[in-house]
Amino acid sequence: MDAVELLLHPVRLRVVHAMSGGRTLTTSQLCDLLPDVSKATVYRHVGLLADGGLLEVADEHRTRGAVERRYRLHRARATVDAETAASVSVEDHRRVFAVAMATLLAEYNAYLDRDDADPAADLVGYRQHAIWLSDEERAQLIGELRAVIAPRMGNAPSPGRTRHLLSPILFPAGESPARTPGER
C-alpha cells in the first residue's frame, strides 16, 4: 500500500497526527490518545503504518513477557508531495478531503468528550474567511503561512506546551468576477 492509500483512512490519519511533532509512542499510549477507537483497531492500523514505512520502531523493551515497541513517525514518508497530489484524479481529491474532514471531526469530538474541554478558554477556532487573491498573492500567502507554521512544527513536548491541531484549508470558492471592458 502506498503512502496515499495508507493515509486515506481516518484512524491511520489520526495515528499520524498523534505521532507528529517528534513523538515516540507505544501502541498502548496511542490507544489512550484515541479512546473512541477500539484497541484492536489501533493495533491493526499501527501495524499497517509500520509495514508501509510511515512508522518506524524507535526502540523495543520487554514488559511483562511481551516486547513493547515505541514508534516514531517517518515524516518524509507520511507526506504527500506536490507531484503526487497533482497526479491524482478529482475523485481521489474528493476522497482525500472526505477522509481529512472525517478525521478532523473525530479529533474535535474526542477533544469535546474530554472532561477538561473548554473551547472558549482554549481559544478554539473554526472560522472561514473569503479572500480575493491573484495567483501571485495566493502563492505569497501560502509561503507566509508556511513560514509561520513550519518552525512551530519542530516544537518538542514540554510542561508549558499543549498539543494543538491546525488544519488550514484553501480552495477557490467560485469563479472570478466578470471583467469590465478594457480590463485584462
Side-chain angles (χ1 to χ4, degrees):
M1 207 179 306
D2 68 9
V4 174
E5 284 300 316
L6 281 167
L7 294 172
L8 272 177
H9 191 281
V11 172
R12 290 192 293 264
L13 195 53
R14 288 181 69 193
V15 168
V16 168
H17 289 166
M19 299 297 298
S20 64
R23 296 172 104 184
T24 57
L25 300 170
T26 65
T27 308
S28 180
Q29 289 171 316
L30 283 165
C31 288
D32 292 342
L33 292 172
L34 305 174
D36 56 314
V37 181
S38 76
K39 289 182 180 194
T41 299
V42 173
Y43 274 84
R44 182 175 61 251
H45 289 293
V46 165
L48 288 169
L49 289 166
D51 291 346
L54 276 71
L55 294 181
E56 56 191 14
V57 176
D59 60 58
E60 298 179 330
H61 66 279
R62 286 212 167 270
T63 304
R64 294 184 292 272
V67 175
E68 184 175 62
R69 292 180 182 95
R70 293 174 52 84
Y71 294 94
R72 72 173 149 250
L73 183 64
H74 192 293
R75 191 75 192 151
R77 292 184 183 160
T79 303
V80 177
D81 61 29
E83 183 180 333
T84 302
S87 71
V88 300
S89 70
V90 170
E91 283 309 309
D92 285 337
H93 278 282
R94 196 179 314 275
R95 283 180 48 220
V96 169
F97 189 76
V99 168
M101 292 302 97
T103 302
L104 182 60
L105 185 58
E107 294 278 8
Y108 189 65
N109 283 330
Y111 159 73
L112 290 176
D113 289 343
R114 292 184 357 215
D115 291 337
D116 65 342
D118 187 347
D122 292 336
L123 300 177
V124 170
Y126 32 82
R127 293 160 186 82
Q128 186 174 47
H129 306 281
I131 53 178
W132 292 89
L133 302 169
S134 67
D135 290 348
E136 182 180 312
E137 291 166 330
R138 182 185 61 219
Q140 182 179 1
L141 174 65
I142 292 169
E144 290 168 356
L145 289 171
R146 285 180 180 155
V148 169
I149 296 168
R152 288 160 178 85
M153 289 173 62
N155 287 353
S158 70
R161 290 186 172 139
T162 301
R163 191 170 147 288
H164 291 77
L165 292 178
L166 178 64
S167 302
I169 300 167
L170 176 70
F171 61 92
E175 298 295 318
S176 298
R179 295 180 188 266
T180 57
E183 189 179 23
R184 292 187 184 176

